[in-house]
Amino acid sequence: MRILIVGSGGREHALAWKLNQSPLRPEIFIAPGNGGTAEEGTNLPLAADDIPGIMDCVSRKGIDFVLPGPELPLVLGLADACAKAGVPCFGPRARAAALEGSKAFAKTLMREMGVPTAEFAVFSDHAAAVAHARARGAPLVIKADGLASGKGVVVAKSLDAALEALQDMMVRKRFGPAGETVVIEDLLVGEEASFLAFCQGETVIPLPAAQDHKAVYDGDAGPNTGGMGAYSPAPVLPESRQDDIVRTIIRPVLRKMRDLGCPYSGILYAGLMITAQGPKVVEFNVRFGDPECQPLLLRLEDDLLALMLACSEGRLREVRLRSSPQAAICVVLAAAGYPGGYPKGMPVSGIDAAQALFPGRLKVFQAGTKIVGKTLVANGGRVLGVTALGGDLAEARSRAYAALEKIRMDNSHFRRDIGHRGLRASPPDPGESA
Ligand code: AMP
Ligand code: GLY
């Protein structure tokens, strides 16, 4: 079986690594991939948003299964193109991927289905948006409707900041058409958690909860990034609450997607805020999170390929998912300056030495790397993620940080407090066995 993974991050390296453990022994191609995926299969020089190029490659290489990592190819219709070509694809069609591709669509659907989320209003007219913001008052969260590479959300503590964000998105069109419509919503207060599940039609198979660390610096200071680290399980969302999340959040969404004539298939990722009134949805993603994927796959005990094939072939209800009771953590090593401008080309060394410290329990997943001649060099903002298993979060964390000591790269930066909320939390409740 020939698999094409689309994307180039740590998530895609982790997916390739895990699929390579499948007894189905797939042959793996990655478009465009990175220095790490080159060790798992064949990198192909194709952009993740080049749908015609990807489909051409699918037919030329005789690809049997397509796995898009990021949201963009899904929102652009890669799953639809695969369906047309008769090639199975893991992930939703474009109309269902609108759950991530349009925040207005997702919010309106949640309101209709009574899914807990922040109060909101949608605007395409700048003057009306300004009037609403003034009437509602700060704090407010201003969101570009469409995809904006994770930069389209402004948490505005003052009215001035909210008005500035509206000006930026709707008048200066900083995000192009993605910001012509905005969602203005109330600020949610609490701790965030990532809840991911394999979904197909109305079948839901949850993964254990994870927690991401979006801010670039320790103590959650500095601007938001794609994610500087993640761990699982997340004590803030114990397994005992999984059924409630599925019942009140995931199933209503799947039911509505079915009623709209675009049944959902793939990973549905609910970004949650655990508020004093219970979990509320901050956003939906239609794919694995990066870096949440890395610790989740390290814990996954089943054959990922069998799970994905069951999902894309409409047999998800026939399979089970088991995760290791151990904890896993991923600490991201980034280029200094990220998420702003950053240098590239710095040699990266010590990965083998890092992995040799804890064989079978630690894996370095590469993201922004490439091989030049025989040297591995930095080629992106998030360069790699050191991902470790441990008997508990403290052990996983000390392994990851010990391994990071072995990795050498100039102009690099990592957070030293990944997992801090999980460590501070009281021991998990007795229902927690993930
Ligand atoms: P999103 O792209 O919608 O996930 O937003 C990015 C980040 O902004 C989230 O992970 C939160 O940290 C923050 N955020 C988004 N919406 C809200 C909200 N209503 N209240 C508080 N924080 C939010
Ligand atoms: N780590 C957050 C995301 O993948 O969207």
Side-chain angles (χ1 to χ4, degrees):
M1 161 171 278
R2 295 184 147 198
I3 302 182
L4 177 64
I5 300 176
V6 177
S8 60
R11 165 183 52 206
E12 286 73 29
H13 186 191
L15 289 166
W17 169 83
K18 187 72 185 170
L19 290 175
N20 261 333
Q21 294 165 24
S22 169
L24 299 169
R25 305 190 63 81
E27 185 181 355
I28 296 181
F29 297 85
I30 312 94
N34 58 41
T37 61
E39 293 170 13
E40 303 290 343
T42 308
N43 285 349
L44 302 170
L46 269 171
D49 61 353
D50 177 7
I51 308 299
I54 292 169
M55 292 316 295
D56 183 51
C57 161
V58 164
S59 90
R60 269 187 301 108
K61 298 260 182 224
I63 299 292
D64 305 293
F65 188 62
V66 178
L67 168 52
E71 63 281 8
L72 189 55
L74 290 165
V75 171
L76 293 176
L78 181 54
D80 307 71
C82 287
K84 210 163 146 204
V87 179
C89 174
F90 182 79
R93 305 268 195 118
R95 277 184 66 207
L99 278 173
E100 177 165 3
S102 167
K103 292 185 191 290
F105 172 78
K107 292 291 292 191
T108 307
L109 186 149
M110 284 189 266
R111 178 182 280 161
E112 234 182 282
M113 299 305 287
V115 170
T117 189
E119 283 298 320
F120 73 100
V122 178
F123 298 93
S124 301
D125 176 64
H126 179 249
V130 167
H132 175 84
R134 286 190 191 283
R136 194 98 187 151
L140 286 171
V141 183
I142 314 290
K143 300 184 171 183
D145 174 51
L147 295 182
S149 313
K151 299 193 175 94
V153 174
V154 174
V155 177
K157 301 223 163 74
S158 67
L159 181 62
D160 280 352
L163 297 181
E164 173 60 23
L166 291 174
Q167 183 78 15
D168 209 26
M169 290 179 198
M170 303 183 85
V171 180
R172 288 183 216 120
K173 301 204 191 296
R174 168 150 178 238
F175 304 113
E180 282 172 2
T181 296
V182 299
V183 173
I184 302 182
E185 66 180 42
D186 288 354
L187 184 79
L188 295 172
V189 178
E191 197 175 315
E192 285 184 72
S194 305
F195 185 83
L196 284 76
F198 285 84
C199 297
Q200 176 246 313
E202 283 172 77
T203 304
V204 184
I205 301 194
L207 283 151
Q211 188 170 59
D212 186 14
H213 300 60
K214 290 209 164 81
V216 68
Y217 300 126
D218 287 8
D220 298 316
N224 270 0
T225 68
M228 293 297 291
Y231 65 97
S232 171
V236 70
L237 193 59
E239 200 178 294
S240 54
R241 294 180 82 174
Q242 247 181 21
D243 287 352
D244 272 352
I245 305 280
V246 170
R247 185 174 48 80
T248 59
I249 293 172
I250 307 294
R251 272 195 217 291
V253 171
L254 297 181
R255 214 175 301 130
K256 182 69 188 177
M257 298 312 287
R258 180 204 60 194
D259 292 348
L260 287 173
C262 42
Y264 196 87
S265 169
I267 291 287
L268 182 58
Y269 162 155
L272 304 175
M273 188 74 80
I274 313 302
T275 72
Q277 296 81 41
K280 295 193 179 184
V281 177
V282 173
E283 63 163 349
F284 285 116
N285 295 320
V286 297
R287 47 159 179 91
F288 278 103
D290 186 344
E292 292 95 323
C293 181
Q294 290 86 314
L296 288 174
L297 290 189
L298 218 58
R299 292 186 64 200
L300 181 66
E301 290 183 333
D302 298 290
D303 178 11
L304 178 65
L305 184 51
L307 275 163
M308 289 183 159
L309 286 172
C311 190
S312 59
E313 291 167 2
R315 304 181 280 106
L316 190 64
R317 74 165 68 84
E318 293 168 18
V319 295
R320 291 283 162 273
L321 182 155
R322 283 165 305 136
S323 286
S324 158
Q326 297 195 71
I329 192 168
C330 172
V331 181
V332 169
L333 181 78
Y338 171 79
Y342 51 82
K344 290 183 179 179
M346 300 80 80
V348 182
S349 64
I351 290 179
D352 289 344
Q355 292 178 159
L357 278 182
F358 306 103
R361 297 187 181 82
L362 186 136
K363 179 71 192 169
V364 177
F365 293 118
Q366 297 180 36
T369 64
K370 69 174 178 180
I371 299 162
V372 177
K374 286 192 171 159
T375 309
L376 185 71
V377 301
N379 188 42
R382 292 190 289 177
V383 176
L384 53 82
V386 176
T387 312
L389 276 173
D392 57 15
L393 180 59
E395 186 178 44
R397 184 188 207 230
S398 70
R399 284 176 176 165
Y401 280 110
L404 256 168
E405 295 290 318
K406 300 278 178 198
I407 294 180
R408 294 276 169 266
M409 180 181 115
D410 285 345
N411 299 316
S412 63
H413 159 75
F414 61 88
R415 276 183 63 162
R416 291 173 191 277
D417 65 346
I418 301 302
H420 66 99
R421 289 200 183 80
L423 288 174
R424 244 193 5 238
S426 48
D429 72 8
E432 168 73 302
S433 61

